[in-house]
Amino acid sequence: MPEPLREPDAPQSHQDLVVGCILLLLAEQRGHGYELHERIKQVMPLWEVSPGNLYRELRRMDADGLVASVWEASQTRGPARRVYEITNAGRRALDDWIMGVGGLVEMLEACIAMHERLPTPKPARLRKPRA
């Protein structure tokens, strides 16, 4: 019996956003940790993602099967680098994440619209004096 469709969960934490962004970046192009750190700073400019946090997430995602990694010799004279790429399971997780982000965006847009409908409070000097 096929599994029923469920509404994907919206990202609940900073970590959820980081994981989704890593998957998105790897779906676009495989890369090594330093390169991913530079790219994620452009995608998530409002939040600091430390290199240590990024590498921890990459190791966890590798263990969970969302990404795969291989050691590649450097194009320059430097040491070999671990290069990450998204797996099929990672692509499915990315699709779920994007649907969840869509739900979060809808909720935030509804909050913004509600705020815009609020009456604008008048400054104290413009209010009529009480009789």
Side-chain angles (χ1 to χ4, degrees):
M1 184 173 216
E3 192 174 307
L5 293 176
R6 67 172 183 79
E7 187 71 27
D9 295 330
Q12 300 291 313
S13 67
H14 178 262
Q15 179 181 347
D16 291 346
L17 293 172
V18 170
V19 168
C21 284
I22 292 170
L23 290 172
L24 186 60
L25 292 172
L26 291 174
E28 182 181 62
Q29 173 185 328
R30 57 190 241 133
H32 57 81
Y34 177 79
E35 175 188 32
L36 287 168
H37 186 253
E38 292 302 306
R39 290 171 60 204
I40 205 166
K41 287 192 297 189
Q42 294 178 3
V43 174
M44 296 181 68
L46 300 179
W47 288 306
E48 173 65 29
V49 178
S50 71
N53 186 33
L54 175 69
Y55 284 104
R56 274 189 297 281
E57 284 304 324
L58 286 167
R59 283 191 301 273
R60 187 190 59 74
M61 294 166 71
D62 197 357
D64 291 347
L66 300 176
V67 302
S69 64
V70 294
W71 286 98
E72 283 189 0
S74 174
Q75 300 293 336
T76 62
R77 296 180 131 169
R81 296 179 176 181
R82 186 181 293 266
V83 177
Y84 296 87
E85 62 187 351
I86 194 168
T87 63
N88 289 335
R91 285 192 184 274
R92 287 189 299 275
L94 174 59
D95 291 344
D96 285 348
W97 182 80
I98 287 294
M99 289 178 64
V101 167
L104 181 59
V105 168
E106 287 176 15
M107 180 196 70
L108 293 173
E109 286 174 343
C111 289
I112 291 169
M114 183 185 293
H115 179 263
E116 289 172 349
R117 290 190 302 269
L118 291 174
T120 305
K122 296 193 181 352
R125 67 179 189 271
L126 296 178
R127 292 188 193 137
K128 291 182 181 180
R130 293 186 182 195

